[in-house]
């Protein structure tokens, strides 16, 4: 792969066009092979790092980076003709940054390609614990894990006995929120899009109850069946019509942790939510959050989660696709519910 | 008015029928005269109090008590054939309750009638300061004042320099929120339904800016004109379409204090709100509250507000209708924006 002048093939997943108010298609992306020098030039900037991507993380938020009409800072957006950006587990091949040296394993924001030349290292975390699957740093030990942790504990203010409802419950974040809620002594119900996922929630992930929302004619009745006394905490991953029905089933002083609204990302016109006035009468707090505001808690999270993983008290379900060629399909699959558990793309062995 | 056997006329505003998913009309109520004994019978319960209502408070939340399909506890609802319930300033005529004696002035929940026999006194506050207009205890010194105080300070977490937007800004609550926000060093813009109210906001109540939403073709442009850098705090009194546009103009970490959604109370189908997904990306906290959860802070509020009133640092605009006959029209007027300032009904002199 590497020749004498360090030049290597660099396969990339390139954005062909912006995706505006519609479902993304595989043909919105293309896998192309470019070349890259596998050594930083002498002239490069002090903080440059060259990494080899091992596992790439496939996350719903990426959808918001391939619009052209979003409010994201330009640095976080994907431009047409460039590789997609996203979280990955990577190995440092060369570094001008004093904090990283050749051979270090890191996780953070890189690009959908075999090798990435990163000009800033703000978002890279060093990996110190390797007695767990490395792919976990795209999930339970990475951004989705921190999302579940910050959302549930910091935003949700859970109490023992709280009745917790989770949408997209078998996803990268939802499956953890449910397990955290069980550990906190809550009653936990999740919803997902297939019976296979429902089985997983009930039999592998310890949810008290789970249901397939696609098989419920009346979501309001379904919620009343599982929450006859109402919902204390709703961990919101989908938005739209489900949120509207959940509002009707919230308890006094309930909390809606707004983590994402995946059902709305691809619509020309987002669904109207009609039942917001219960926010007043039921004293509901609906709060959005973005995980990067909570990364200072990562060491604390690791201290909690690593022993749970090692003791088998927390499970994590991954759906690992092989190779960058599978990446466009894996991204599309997030929006059709094809993935079962955290969607990862394995790019290379260490 | 009182005869030897203490029997008196008791004029009442009676609910004739429930008002469901439509605007209320004056003919949904009728003013009737009944009789009442102006002395508690020996046989009555220990906590009974007989009061003479002096000022009755006309508040939007009353709309939610004349539905028959609401979630309110039965004790707080108005039944067909009964007088409306609501806040009032009253004078104690007779009392079996040890905390209240004949001659005491009180404010709290009574009924829309000349005299009320109250079987529980949970919601009555004794009035100790009478060097201010007594009617103020239906407004700035009563429930709406506490609503503004608890909503702005306790729910809103204001900081100096915050950009604050207030809907229904000249109303009983809004006019106070704006003045509190100015005292806290915020930039304050209000919206109201007439040019007269806009003039009041800018020239009497100290708002930095105000506009008539009925004269704006594009509310999004109006908000961008007054908040080129976005809104930190939105004090929400109206809901619906305005909320949808405000969401687009919120700043990162903005707070939406959900006090009421008056625009939605009379609709067959409430407006759909489409822009909720910005709650995630902008880390917005939208929080509903009900003033009764904060009444323990009333003494602290009085300590703050009384000196401000006496020093002329806070103004309060009232719209006082005369007599119970005017009450049905005054209630309807809240929903058409007829009132200018806090709507009060003067029932009797002390």
């Amino acid at each position: 792969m590497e020749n004498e002048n360090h030049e290597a093939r660099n396969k990339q997943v390139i954005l062909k066009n912006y995706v505006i108010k519609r479902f993304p298609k595989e043909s919105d992306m293309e896998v192309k092979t470019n070349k890259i020098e596998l050594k930083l030039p002498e002239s490069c900037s002090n903080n440059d790092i060259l990494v080899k991507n091992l596992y790439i993380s496939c996350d719903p938020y990426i959808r918001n980076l391939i619009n052209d009409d979003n409010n994201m800072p330009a640095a976080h957006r994907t431009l047409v003709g460039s590789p997609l950006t996203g979280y990955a587990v990577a190995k440092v091949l060369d570094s001008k940054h004093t904090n990283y040296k050749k051979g270090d394993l890191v996780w953070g924001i890189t690009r959908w390609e075999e090798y990435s030349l990163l000009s800033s290292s703000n978002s890279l975390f060093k990996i110190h614990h390797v007695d767990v699957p490395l792919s976990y740093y795209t999930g339970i030990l990475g951004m989705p894990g921190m999302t579940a942790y910050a959302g549930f504990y910091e935003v949700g203010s859970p109490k023992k006995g709280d009745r917790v409802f989770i949408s997209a419950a078998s996803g990268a974040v939802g499956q953890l929120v449910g397990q955290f809620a069980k550990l906190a002594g809550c009653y936990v119900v999740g919803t997902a899009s297939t019976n296979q996922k429902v089985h997983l929630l009930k039999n592998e992930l310890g949810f008290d109850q789970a249901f397939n929302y696609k098989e419920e004619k009346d979501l309001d009745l379904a919620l009343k069946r599982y929450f006859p006394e109402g919902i204390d905490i709703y961990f919101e991953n989908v938005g739209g019509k489900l949120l509207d029905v959940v509002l009707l089933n919230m308890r006094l002083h309930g909390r809606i942790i707004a983590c994402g609204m995946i059902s709305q990302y691809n619509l020309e016109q987002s669904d109207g939510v009609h039942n917001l006035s219960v926010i007043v009468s039921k004293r509901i707090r609906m709060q959005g959050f973005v995980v990067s505001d909570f990364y200072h808690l990562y060491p604390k999270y690791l201290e909690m989660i690593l022993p749970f993983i090692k003791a088998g008290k927390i499970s994590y379900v991954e759906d690992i696709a092989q190779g960058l060629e599978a990446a466009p399909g894996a991204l599309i699959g997030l929006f059709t519910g094809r993935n079962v558990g955290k969607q990862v793309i394995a790019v290379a062995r260490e």
Side-chain angles (χ1 to χ4, degrees), chain A:
Chain A
M1 199 145 67
E2 303 180 22
N3 61 21
E4 283 213 2
N5 61 4
H6 308 291
E7 196 178 79
R9 175 199 78 177
N10 192 21
K11 215 184 286 176
Q12 301 179 307
V13 180
I14 302 286
L15 181 66
K16 280 174 67 181
N17 44 259
Y18 295 114
V19 183
I20 300 162
K21 297 185 177 183
R22 62 165 173 81
F23 265 81
K25 310 184 296 283
E26 291 203 34
S27 60
D28 295 320
M29 295 161 267
E30 65 182 330
V31 179
K32 268 192 167 173
T33 299
N34 272 308
K35 285 178 178 172
I36 188 167
E37 283 289 316
L38 287 189
K39 191 167 172 31
L40 291 173
E42 288 306 318
S43 61
C44 75
S45 129
N46 267 341
N47 289 325
D48 281 4
I49 303 180
L50 182 74
V51 302
K52 178 180 182 182
N53 292 305
L54 307 178
Y55 293 99
I56 281 176
S57 180
C58 206
D59 297 297
Y61 86 91
I62 290 175
R63 176 65 186 86
N64 297 326
L65 309 185
I66 59 177
N67 284 323
D68 74 342
D69 60 347
N70 64 64
N71 295 308
M72 294 276 171
H76 293 178
R77 292 172 58 187
T78 296
L79 300 178
V80 162
S82 301
L84 277 75
T85 56
Y87 284 87
V89 171
K91 189 177 185 174
V92 177
L93 297 186
D94 197 0
S95 168
K96 302 284 180 187
H97 194 295
T98 49
N99 290 355
Y100 305 93
K101 60 177 196 306
K102 187 174 167 172
D104 280 351
L105 290 166
V106 295
W107 70 269
I109 294 176
T110 74
R111 287 187 292 272
W112 286 33
E113 57 192 356
E114 289 177 287
Y115 302 97
S116 296
L117 174 58
L118 304 173
S119 54
S120 157
S121 56
N122 291 346
S123 334
L124 292 184
F125 295 81
K126 254 202 246 193
I127 292 175
H128 298 290
H129 304 272
V130 292
D131 50 351
V132 288
L134 260 189
S135 57
Y136 274 18
Y137 289 93
T138 68
I140 185 171
L141 295 176
M143 182 276 284
M146 271 304 295
T147 301
Y149 177 73
F152 183 66
Y153 291 105
E154 299 292 316
V155 182
S157 316
K159 294 185 311 292
K160 192 176 167 181
D162 274 351
R163 300 150 181 89
V164 177
F165 179 55
I166 302 165
S167 53
S170 68
V173 175
Q175 60 174 306
L176 288 174
V177 174
Q179 292 178 85
F180 294 163
K182 284 308 298 174
L183 289 171
C186 301
Y187 165 77
V188 183
V189 180
T191 188
S193 61
T194 68
N195 292 342
Q196 180 195 2
K197 293 177 188 178
V198 166
H199 181 86
L200 197 66
L201 291 171
K202 290 201 283 194
N203 298 292
E204 305 284 329
L205 296 165
F207 283 55
D208 293 296
Q209 295 288 345
F211 65 92
N212 178 347
Y213 65 86
K214 290 189 174 173
E215 294 198 343
E216 297 290 340
K217 272 188 205 154
D218 185 329
L219 285 171
D220 186 44
L221 284 182
L223 289 176
K224 286 183 168 52
R225 193 163 72 234
Y226 293 110
F227 296 97
E229 297 177 83
I231 298 166
D232 293 294
I233 294 182
Y234 173 45
F235 198 97
E236 166 67 299
N237 286 312
V238 305
K241 293 185 178 74
L242 184 57
L243 172 58
D244 221 1
V245 176
V246 167
L247 281 165
L248 296 176
N249 288 280
M250 292 297 290
R251 297 186 81 207
L252 285 191
H253 300 286
R255 287 134 276 154
I256 297 176
I257 306 167
C259 176
M261 299 200 178
I262 194 173
S263 75
Q264 304 300 297
Y265 297 168
N266 303 312
L267 303 182
E268 189 179 342
Q269 155 113 57
S270 57
D271 292 328
V273 173
H274 295 271
N275 298 318
L276 284 173
S277 64
V278 306
I279 285 184
V280 180
S281 56
K282 293 183 178 174
R283 298 95 150 142
I284 289 168
R285 171 163 60 85
M286 178 170 182
Q287 187 160 352
F289 75 104
V290 172
V291 62
S292 53
D293 294 345
F294 295 91
Y295 276 153
H296 59 283
L297 300 176
Y298 184 60
K300 195 177 149 199
Y301 173 60
L302 277 188
E303 233 170 76
M304 177 194 101
I305 197 75
L306 284 167
F308 280 138
I309 294 174
K310 289 171 189 168
K313 287 195 178 162
I314 294 253
S315 305
Y316 199 62
V317 179
E318 297 181 309
D319 191 333
I320 304 189
Q322 298 297 328
L324 282 171
E325 288 79 4
L331 182 61
I332 309 306
L334 291 180
F335 303 100
T336 59
R338 199 189 67 180
N339 58 307
V340 179
K342 165 66 194 171
Q343 180 69 62
V344 186
I345 299 148
V347 181
R349 299 275 163 213
E350 195 183 336

